[in-house]
Amino acid sequence: MSCEVSAAELGRVLRMVERGDPEAIRAAAELGPAGAEMSLAASLTIEPPARRAGLFVVLTGIDRAGKETHAFNPAHIPGVRPLVDVLGEMGYEVLGVRQPEYGFASGQLIRSYLGLEGWCRLRGKLEEDVAWILWSMNRALVNRAAAHWLSKDGRAVIAKRWGESNLAYHAPQGVEPSRILSLESRFLRPDVFLVLDLDPSVAASRMEGGADAFESRARLLSEARRILLELDRYFPGSEVIRVDASRSPASVSAELVEALRRFLSR
């Protein structure tokens, strides 16, 4: 499958979604081959938040802080206990999710916006003032699955990034935080944020090429880090635990596991 979406038409849909306009669902359906998914995403983005029963853990941090490694450890790095396994050992049935989810057309449009190749791309330039809503629509699709999973006790979701990432990367680009927080309030609220704190200069040293448009902007990474260190201000009611991510993966993993145990014991 391949598709192309007009940035101007997508921008119009995104503004409708932010307003909560039900007509966004119909307008999104007209976005070519991506229309069916985008229409569903629009409907899920503007619907009321879901109730839940299980545990929701978000692992976050700036680019190259180690989120994928410590959430899932796909490279099987020695000494790293992926949190998806740790929660399972604690007795939870666990669902792991990633943000953005690039398997969706909306995720591919995010890649295109960041200057990366994919099977669905933007035609024209999407305005920064509305681009962040595309991330929210992508999250709406993942939120549906996560909310369904957490409708029962004894279950947990571990997410690599969530709405805090939208705030961290788009507020420094001039988007009013209240706009982001208002739209993102429709999605699941984490019980705890585990923040992998990393200096942007260290993050830069871990980039071996292939950096996207966000990763390659030092000031943006610095501002994103500042916001992630102040998540208590933006997400009252969610626990925020910070871990120094500049150390060895095994050391970081051990602290994350212990921090999660302490949190759950309370």
Side-chain angles (χ1 to χ4, degrees):
M1 174 184 174
S2 63
C3 69
E4 186 175 86
V5 174
S6 163
E9 287 301 307
L10 177 59
R12 183 173 72 88
V13 169
L14 296 179
R15 292 189 186 281
M16 295 170 71
V17 167
E18 184 180 10
R19 295 196 303 268
D21 186 346
E23 278 297 301
I25 300 170
R26 178 196 58 76
E30 298 174 355
L31 292 173
E37 180 201 302
M38 298 300 287
S39 180
L40 174 61
S43 69
L44 294 173
T45 305
I46 64 180
E47 71 177 13
R51 295 177 178 271
R52 67 178 177 86
L55 173 71
F56 187 23
V57 179
V58 171
L59 185 64
T60 190
I62 64 170
D63 297 280
R64 310 303 169 100
K67 298 179 292 298
E68 182 75 14
T69 293
H70 293 290
F72 308 110
N73 196 17
H76 305 291
I77 295 174
V80 172
R81 297 177 61 196
L83 295 182
V84 69
D85 290 348
V86 171
L87 286 169
E89 293 164 6
M90 293 178 177
Y92 290 95
E93 291 183 77
V94 188
L95 174 68
V97 299
R98 295 170 172 85
Q99 283 287 280
E101 174 49 71
Y102 293 118
F104 296 133
S106 53
Q108 291 294 302
L109 292 173
I110 287 171
R111 284 180 59 84
S112 181
Y113 177 79
L114 294 175
L116 302 173
E117 294 295 325
W119 51 261
C120 195
R121 67 184 185 88
L122 288 167
R123 183 175 69 253
K125 181 173 175 57
L126 185 63
E127 298 173 57
E128 286 186 353
D129 188 55
V130 296
W132 63 274
I133 304 169
L134 184 58
W135 271 259
S136 295
M137 290 178 69
N138 182 267
R139 187 155 23 262
L141 296 165
V142 177
N143 185 76
R144 178 176 66 163
H148 177 73
W149 182 259
L150 291 178
S151 63
K152 296 181 181 179
D153 287 317
R155 290 182 171 183
V157 167
I158 174 72
K160 173 190 169 183
R161 300 193 189 98
W162 201 245
E164 83 298 332
S165 187
N166 222 1
L167 184 71
Y169 281 91
H170 290 279
Q173 299 184 77
V175 181
E176 182 60 39
S178 61
R179 293 173 62 196
I180 299 172
L181 293 170
S182 176
L183 190 59
E184 294 280 345
S185 70
R186 293 176 169 88
F187 305 142
L188 293 171
R189 177 63 62 93
D191 292 297
V192 58
F193 289 102
L194 299 173
V195 181
L196 294 171
D197 182 36
L198 189 68
D199 189 280
S201 63
V202 179
S205 71
R206 295 179 178 180
M207 296 179 191
E208 300 176 352
D212 63 36
F214 283 176
E215 293 173 336
S216 60
R217 293 163 65 175
R219 185 194 65 80
L220 177 59
L221 288 182
S222 294
E223 286 298 299
R225 181 196 187 195
R226 179 185 61 79
I227 290 174
L228 291 174
L229 291 177
E230 298 176 351
L231 288 184
D232 315 69
R233 288 178 49 196
Y234 301 105
F235 296 91
S238 297
E239 183 90 1
V240 180
I241 300 173
R242 301 167 188 84
V243 174
D244 179 2
S246 66
R247 299 164 300 159
S248 72
S251 297
V252 174
S253 179
E255 184 170 345
L256 282 171
V257 172
E258 181 57 29
L260 190 55
R261 289 191 184 280
R262 287 199 304 269
F263 170 74
L264 292 175
S265 71
R266 296 198 295 273

PDB file of all heavy atoms in Angstrom, residues 215-229:
ATOM      1  N   GLU A 215      15.255  15.055  16.386  1.00  0.00           N
ATOM      2  CA  GLU A 215      16.495  14.634  17.022  1.00  0.00           C
ATOM      3  C   GLU A 215      17.664  15.541  16.686  1.00  0.00           C
ATOM      4  O   GLU A 215      18.597  15.689  17.470  1.00  0.00           O
ATOM      5  CB  GLU A 215      16.828  13.202  16.595  1.00  0.00           C
ATOM      6  CG  GLU A 215      15.841  12.155  17.104  1.00  0.00           C
ATOM      7  CD  GLU A 215      16.124  10.791  16.525  1.00  0.00           C
ATOM      8  OE1 GLU A 215      16.747  10.739  15.443  1.00  0.00           O
ATOM      9  OE2 GLU A 215      15.736   9.788  17.134  1.00  0.00           O
ATOM     10  N   SER A 216      17.627  16.148  15.507  1.00  0.00           N
ATOM     11  CA  SER A 216      18.780  16.908  15.027  1.00  0.00           C
ATOM     12  C   SER A 216      18.788  18.362  15.482  1.00  0.00           C
ATOM     13  O   SER A 216      19.684  19.109  15.124  1.00  0.00           O
ATOM     14  CB  SER A 216      18.815  16.849  13.491  1.00  0.00           C
ATOM     15  OG  SER A 216      17.633  17.413  12.949  1.00  0.00           O
ATOM     16  N   ARG A 217      17.818  18.774  16.297  1.00  0.00           N
ATOM     17  CA  ARG A 217      17.737  20.165  16.736  1.00  0.00           C
ATOM     18  C   ARG A 217      18.075  20.249  18.220  1.00  0.00           C
ATOM     19  O   ARG A 217      17.265  19.908  19.087  1.00  0.00           O
ATOM     20  CB  ARG A 217      16.351  20.723  16.444  1.00  0.00           C
ATOM     21  CG  ARG A 217      16.096  20.837  14.936  1.00  0.00           C
ATOM     22  CD  ARG A 217      14.641  20.982  14.589  1.00  0.00           C
ATOM     23  NE  ARG A 217      14.060  22.216  15.075  1.00  0.00           N
ATOM     24  CZ  ARG A 217      12.809  22.589  14.789  1.00  0.00           C
ATOM     25  NH1 ARG A 217      12.043  21.837  14.035  1.00  0.00           N
ATOM     26  NH2 ARG A 217      12.339  23.722  15.270  1.00  0.00           N
ATOM     27  N   ALA A 218      19.296  20.721  18.520  1.00  0.00           N
ATOM     28  CA  ALA A 218      19.800  20.709  19.888  1.00  0.00           C
ATOM     29  C   ALA A 218      18.915  21.519  20.830  1.00  0.00           C
ATOM     30  O   ALA A 218      18.631  21.091  21.955  1.00  0.00           O
ATOM     31  CB  ALA A 218      21.238  21.237  19.916  1.00  0.00           C
ATOM     32  N   ARG A 219      18.488  22.730  20.397  1.00  0.00           N
ATOM     33  CA  ARG A 219      17.664  23.561  21.278  1.00  0.00           C
ATOM     34  C   ARG A 219      16.353  22.870  21.600  1.00  0.00           C
ATOM     35  O   ARG A 219      15.875  22.906  22.746  1.00  0.00           O
ATOM     36  CB  ARG A 219      17.375  24.912  20.618  1.00  0.00           C
ATOM     37  CG  ARG A 219      16.610  25.879  21.539  1.00  0.00           C
ATOM     38  CD  ARG A 219      16.036  27.048  20.778  1.00  0.00           C
ATOM     39  NE  ARG A 219      15.021  26.643  19.822  1.00  0.00           N
ATOM     40  CZ  ARG A 219      13.750  26.373  20.153  1.00  0.00           C
ATOM     41  NH1 ARG A 219      13.370  26.452  21.415  1.00  0.00           N
ATOM     42  NH2 ARG A 219      12.892  26.029  19.229  1.00  0.00           N
ATOM     43  N   LEU A 220      15.763  22.216  20.603  1.00  0.00           N
ATOM     44  CA  LEU A 220      14.494  21.523  20.824  1.00  0.00           C
ATOM     45  C   LEU A 220      14.658  20.410  21.842  1.00  0.00           C
ATOM     46  O   LEU A 220      13.823  20.249  22.738  1.00  0.00           O
ATOM     47  CB  LEU A 220      13.964  20.965  19.501  1.00  0.00           C
ATOM     48  CG  LEU A 220      12.674  20.148  19.583  1.00  0.00           C
ATOM     49  CD1 LEU A 220      11.542  20.980  20.178  1.00  0.00           C
ATOM     50  CD2 LEU A 220      12.279  19.638  18.206  1.00  0.00           C
ATOM     51  N   LEU A 221      15.750  19.642  21.737  1.00  0.00           N
ATOM     52  CA  LEU A 221      15.980  18.567  22.705  1.00  0.00           C
ATOM     53  C   LEU A 221      16.181  19.124  24.109  1.00  0.00           C
ATOM     54  O   LEU A 221      15.717  18.530  25.092  1.00  0.00           O
ATOM     55  CB  LEU A 221      17.194  17.733  22.288  1.00  0.00           C
ATOM     56  CG  LEU A 221      17.014  16.829  21.065  1.00  0.00           C
ATOM     57  CD1 LEU A 221      18.285  16.041  20.804  1.00  0.00           C
ATOM     58  CD2 LEU A 221      15.828  15.888  21.231  1.00  0.00           C
ATOM     59  N   SER A 222      16.851  20.270  24.214  1.00  0.00           N
ATOM     60  CA  SER A 222      17.049  20.889  25.529  1.00  0.00           C
ATOM     61  C   SER A 222      15.724  21.330  26.147  1.00  0.00           C
ATOM     62  O   SER A 222      15.476  21.125  27.337  1.00  0.00           O
ATOM     63  CB  SER A 222      17.992  22.089  25.414  1.00  0.00           C
ATOM     64  OG  SER A 222      19.286  21.686  25.038  1.00  0.00           O
ATOM     65  N   GLU A 223      14.873  21.930  25.326  1.00  0.00           N
ATOM     66  CA  GLU A 223      13.558  22.367  25.813  1.00  0.00           C
ATOM     67  C   GLU A 223      12.684  21.170  26.142  1.00  0.00           C
ATOM     68  O   GLU A 223      11.931  21.189  27.126  1.00  0.00           O
ATOM     69  CB  GLU A 223      12.882  23.248  24.757  1.00  0.00           C
ATOM     70  CG  GLU A 223      13.471  24.641  24.656  1.00  0.00           C
ATOM     71  CD  GLU A 223      13.299  25.411  25.955  1.00  0.00           C
ATOM     72  OE1 GLU A 223      12.140  25.622  26.375  1.00  0.00           O
ATOM     73  OE2 GLU A 223      14.322  25.783  26.558  1.00  0.00           O
ATOM     74  N   ALA A 224      12.756  20.119  25.327  1.00  0.00           N
ATOM     75  CA  ALA A 224      11.977  18.915  25.602  1.00  0.00           C
ATOM     76  C   ALA A 224      12.403  18.304  26.932  1.00  0.00           C
ATOM     77  O   ALA A 224      11.555  17.889  27.742  1.00  0.00           O
ATOM     78  CB  ALA A 224      12.159  17.900  24.475  1.00  0.00           C
ATOM     79  N   ARG A 225      13.707  18.281  27.176  1.00  0.00           N
ATOM     80  CA  ARG A 225      14.190  17.744  28.447  1.00  0.00           C
ATOM     81  C   ARG A 225      13.659  18.569  29.627  1.00  0.00           C
ATOM     82  O   ARG A 225      13.229  18.018  30.640  1.00  0.00           O
ATOM     83  CB  ARG A 225      15.718  17.752  28.465  1.00  0.00           C
ATOM     84  CG  ARG A 225      16.296  17.190  29.758  1.00  0.00           C
ATOM     85  CD  ARG A 225      17.746  17.547  29.922  1.00  0.00           C
ATOM     86  NE  ARG A 225      18.354  16.880  31.063  1.00  0.00           N
ATOM     87  CZ  ARG A 225      19.519  17.227  31.595  1.00  0.00           C
ATOM     88  NH1 ARG A 225      20.208  18.239  31.073  1.00  0.00           N
ATOM     89  NH2 ARG A 225      19.994  16.583  32.642  1.00  0.00           N
ATOM     90  N   ARG A 226      13.691  19.887  29.470  1.00  0.00           N
ATOM     91  CA  ARG A 226      13.208  20.751  30.564  1.00  0.00           C
ATOM     92  C   ARG A 226      11.749  20.441  30.900  1.00  0.00           C
ATOM     93  O   ARG A 226      11.381  20.341  32.077  1.00  0.00           O
ATOM     94  CB  ARG A 226      13.348  22.224  30.157  1.00  0.00           C
ATOM     95  CG  ARG A 226      12.859  23.204  31.221  1.00  0.00           C
ATOM     96  CD  ARG A 226      12.907  24.631  30.730  1.00  0.00           C
ATOM     97  NE  ARG A 226      12.058  24.838  29.565  1.00  0.00           N
ATOM     98  CZ  ARG A 226      10.729  24.992  29.638  1.00  0.00           C
ATOM     99  NH1 ARG A 226      10.115  24.928  30.807  1.00  0.00           N
ATOM    100  NH2 ARG A 226      10.038  25.196  28.541  1.00  0.00           N
ATOM    101  N   ILE A 227      10.919  20.289  29.885  1.00  0.00           N
ATOM    102  CA  ILE A 227       9.499  20.004  30.124  1.00  0.00           C
ATOM    103  C   ILE A 227       9.323  18.639  30.773  1.00  0.00           C
ATOM    104  O   ILE A 227       8.517  18.471  31.703  1.00  0.00           O
ATOM    105  CB  ILE A 227       8.711  20.103  28.805  1.00  0.00           C
ATOM    106  CG1 ILE A 227       8.641  21.575  28.368  1.00  0.00           C
ATOM    107  CG2 ILE A 227       7.307  19.520  28.952  1.00  0.00           C
ATOM    108  CD1 ILE A 227       8.022  21.788  27.006  1.00  0.00           C
ATOM    109  N   LEU A 228      10.084  17.650  30.308  1.00  0.00           N
ATOM    110  CA  LEU A 228       9.965  16.312  30.892  1.00  0.00           C
ATOM    111  C   LEU A 228      10.381  16.294  32.360  1.00  0.00           C
ATOM    112  O   LEU A 228       9.906  15.457  33.131  1.00  0.00           O
ATOM    113  CB  LEU A 228      10.813  15.318  30.087  1.00  0.00           C
ATOM    114  CG  LEU A 228      10.295  15.009  28.674  1.00  0.00           C
ATOM    115  CD1 LEU A 228      11.295  14.139  27.924  1.00  0.00           C
ATOM    116  CD2 LEU A 228       8.931  14.343  28.716  1.00  0.00           C
ATOM    117  N   LEU A 229      11.257  17.203  32.744  1.00  0.00           N
ATOM    118  CA  LEU A 229      11.659  17.285  34.149  1.00  0.00           C
ATOM    119  C   LEU A 229      10.642  18.056  34.990  1.00  0.00           C
ATOM    120  O   LEU A 229      10.781  18.133  36.210  1.00  0.00           O
ATOM    121  CB  LEU A 229      13.040  17.933  34.259  1.00  0.00           C
ATOM    122  CG  LEU A 229      14.199  17.097  33.719  1.00  0.00           C
ATOM    123  CD1 LEU A 229      15.504  17.872  33.804  1.00  0.00           C
ATOM    124  CD2 LEU A 229      14.310  15.767  34.464  1.00  0.00           C
TER     125      LEU A 229
END
